[in-house]
Amino acid sequence: MNNSEDIIILALESSCDDTSCAILKNNVLLSNITANQSVHKQYGGVVPELASRDHQKNIVPVVDAAVKAAGVKLSQISAIAFTRGPGLTGSLLVGISFAKSLALALGVPLIEVNHMQGHILAHFIAEETSPGVISLSAPEFPFLCLTVSGGHTQIVKVSGPLQTELLAETEDDAAGEAFDKAAKILGLPYPGGPLIDQYARQGQPARFKFPMPHLSSHNYSFSGIKTSFLYFIRDHLKENAAFVENNLPDICASYQHHLVSYLLKNLKAVARETGIRQIAIAGGVSANSGLREQLAAMGREENWRVYIPKFEYCTDNAAMIGITGYYKYRQQAFSDLKATPLARYHL
Ligand code: KG4
Ligand code: ZN
């Protein structure tokens, strides 16, 4: 049953290559449906034009499925939340245009959401695990969030649901790109991050070494690591054409271990500096099993409370846009019909 004070949010996410729609009643997720695009695999990366065409194809069936799965009527919806950026302009446009049309048709407000804020607030998505039982395990404020995705690497201080302060950021590539580009060098399909993770499980993380960048703990840089990986593979292939084939698990385990150690080295420094011991991770790379394990171990050493999102809320999804929409609705932070996509959208 719905209480008239319940806030029902329909949320859309279309910033990259996943078309997703979620429905939330207050902070509780009712449905979350995502269509993944496989068209990009053969190109070794997301092709923006193909992504926007697929969003256009997927958005009506995805919204339809989410509304049906949630068991709500369109007339009950309080607001439409959408990802305004950062992301691919053509992909964002599909979600934004759809959100505007639906808001106009239903006579409800629009709420724009920053995708990176969404990744962080994924920790606040509550779920009904059995009838009447709501489950939520969210960090307390303030906490630090290491947000690692295909386009971003950030350490953010989160003092409230909508109060964020950027403490560290990458100067060049993102952590996800460091995984995906290495996978491409190894001849693996896009996105390579999950595949490196899979091979790494059978490999030895201490077998090969890579250089550690020497920057302040408030900056990340992955381009040097990626180049050293390229030379490492090239040099070994000169001596042994079957090097990759014969050593794939050890290569993946060593490279993953290196990236994760680097991510956590800065996180530890920033945590010590700020004295904050509530630590969370978010974004696609937070699905990485090596990161999850090494973070848990560091958390025990550093006496942290560690928060790791459920797998389905690590990679892109509309549930995280919906929870952010819910907090913005409570502040009446609405957008108007003039909202345009923001390819770059700072926290
Ligand atoms: O957050 P996300 O779904 O999309 C962006 O906002 O970019 O992140 C996608 C990134 C890709 O680079 C993908 O390879 C990486 O997350 N990723 C992983 C894993 N799962 C997804 N990287 C390493 N290990 C994983 N298990
Ligand atoms: Zn993302």
Side-chain angles (χ1 to χ4, degrees):
M1 279 301 282
N2 282 327
N3 187 317
S4 61
E5 264 137 55
D6 283 335
I7 300 165
I8 312 251
I9 303 284
L10 183 149
L12 297 166
E13 155 61 35
S14 70
S15 64
C16 191
D17 59 344
D18 296 311
T19 321
S20 185
C21 178
I23 316 272
L24 284 88
K25 180 157 96 178
N26 304 314
N27 64 339
V28 182
L29 185 67
L30 300 181
S31 67
N32 181 42
I33 305 284
T34 304
N36 304 113
Q37 302 179 0
S38 55
V39 62
H40 310 286
K41 270 203 174 102
Q42 56 188 306
Y43 299 103
V46 176
V47 183
E49 174 65 24
L50 296 180
S52 44
R53 287 188 208 179
D54 261 21
H55 283 305
Q56 191 71 37
K57 257 191 257 162
N58 293 340
I59 198 150
V60 170
V62 163
V63 171
D64 217 30
V67 170
K68 285 207 179 89
V72 296
K73 294 192 210 83
L74 284 176
S75 58
Q76 292 176 290
I77 287 166
S78 319
I80 311 293
F82 65 95
T83 306
R84 186 172 179 199
L88 302 170
T89 304
S91 292
L92 292 164
L93 261 178
V94 177
I96 295 181
S97 307
F98 193 93
K100 286 180 184 174
S101 321
L102 196 55
L104 207 56
L106 299 177
V108 297
L110 267 175
I111 303 172
E112 67 182 64
V113 171
N114 179 310
H115 180 87
M116 299 314 291
Q117 177 130 37
H119 272 305
I120 296 170
L121 292 187
H123 285 278
F124 294 83
I125 299 167
E127 284 175 289
E128 190 166 353
T129 44
S130 55
V133 180
I134 306 294
S135 138
L136 174 65
S137 147
E140 282 162 29
F141 301 110
F143 66 92
L144 292 182
C145 189
L146 172 70
T147 317
V148 272
S149 73
H152 292 77
T153 304
Q154 302 176 330
I155 300 174
V156 181
K157 178 178 169 185
V158 189
S159 307
L162 302 172
Q163 268 174 277
T164 52
E165 187 189 341
L166 193 59
L167 299 184
E169 198 169 23
T170 180
E171 290 182 348
D172 41 54
D173 289 352
E177 280 172 292
F179 274 99
D180 296 338
K181 288 181 178 172
K184 200 169 178 179
I185 294 167
L186 294 172
L188 302 173
Y190 177 86
L195 289 169
I196 292 195
D197 190 354
Q198 214 174 300
Y199 285 112
R201 282 170 215 212
Q202 282 104 48
Q204 292 176 41
R207 172 130 178 247
F208 302 114
K209 299 273 178 249
F210 301 97
M212 190 61 89
H214 292 288
L215 294 172
S216 110
S217 47
H218 293 263
N219 294 79
Y220 282 106
S221 169
F222 291 95
S223 67
I225 301 180
K226 180 196 68 195
T227 309
S228 77
F229 184 77
L230 177 70
Y231 292 158
F232 161 81
I233 296 294
R234 192 193 59 184
D235 294 348
H236 276 89
L237 283 178
K238 268 189 214 151
E239 285 165 22
N240 169 13
F243 175 70
V244 170
E245 216 175 300
N246 294 342
N247 297 283
L248 194 54
D250 288 351
I251 297 170
C252 291
S254 302
Y255 184 69
Q256 174 174 296
H257 180 77
H258 185 69
L259 290 180
V260 169
S261 304
Y262 179 38
L263 286 168
L264 294 181
K265 178 173 163 269
N266 284 6
L267 182 62
K268 178 158 113 181
V270 174
R272 285 187 176 179
E273 191 183 295
T274 55
I276 296 174
R277 292 220 169 96
Q278 296 268 322
I279 309 288
I281 52 172
V285 180
S286 65
N288 183 268
S289 54
L291 175 58
R292 289 167 168 246
E293 281 160 26
Q294 280 181 245
L295 175 71
M298 185 174 276
R300 286 189 289 273
E301 279 164 25
E302 294 291 305
N303 207 4
W304 290 344
R305 253 199 110 131
V306 168
Y307 295 84
I308 299 177
K310 276 178 81 173
F311 275 107
E312 56 263 50
Y313 308 135
C314 290
T315 46
D316 290 348
N317 65 86
M320 68 189 201
I321 305 304
I323 189 73
T324 312
Y326 163 71
Y327 284 112
K328 292 189 93 168
Y329 187 99
R330 293 198 342 185
Q331 294 195 352
Q332 306 278 292
F334 300 133
S335 310
D336 63 28
L337 288 168
K338 291 195 211 102
T340 50
L342 289 176
R344 284 165 189 273
Y345 187 178
H346 298 290
L347 268 179

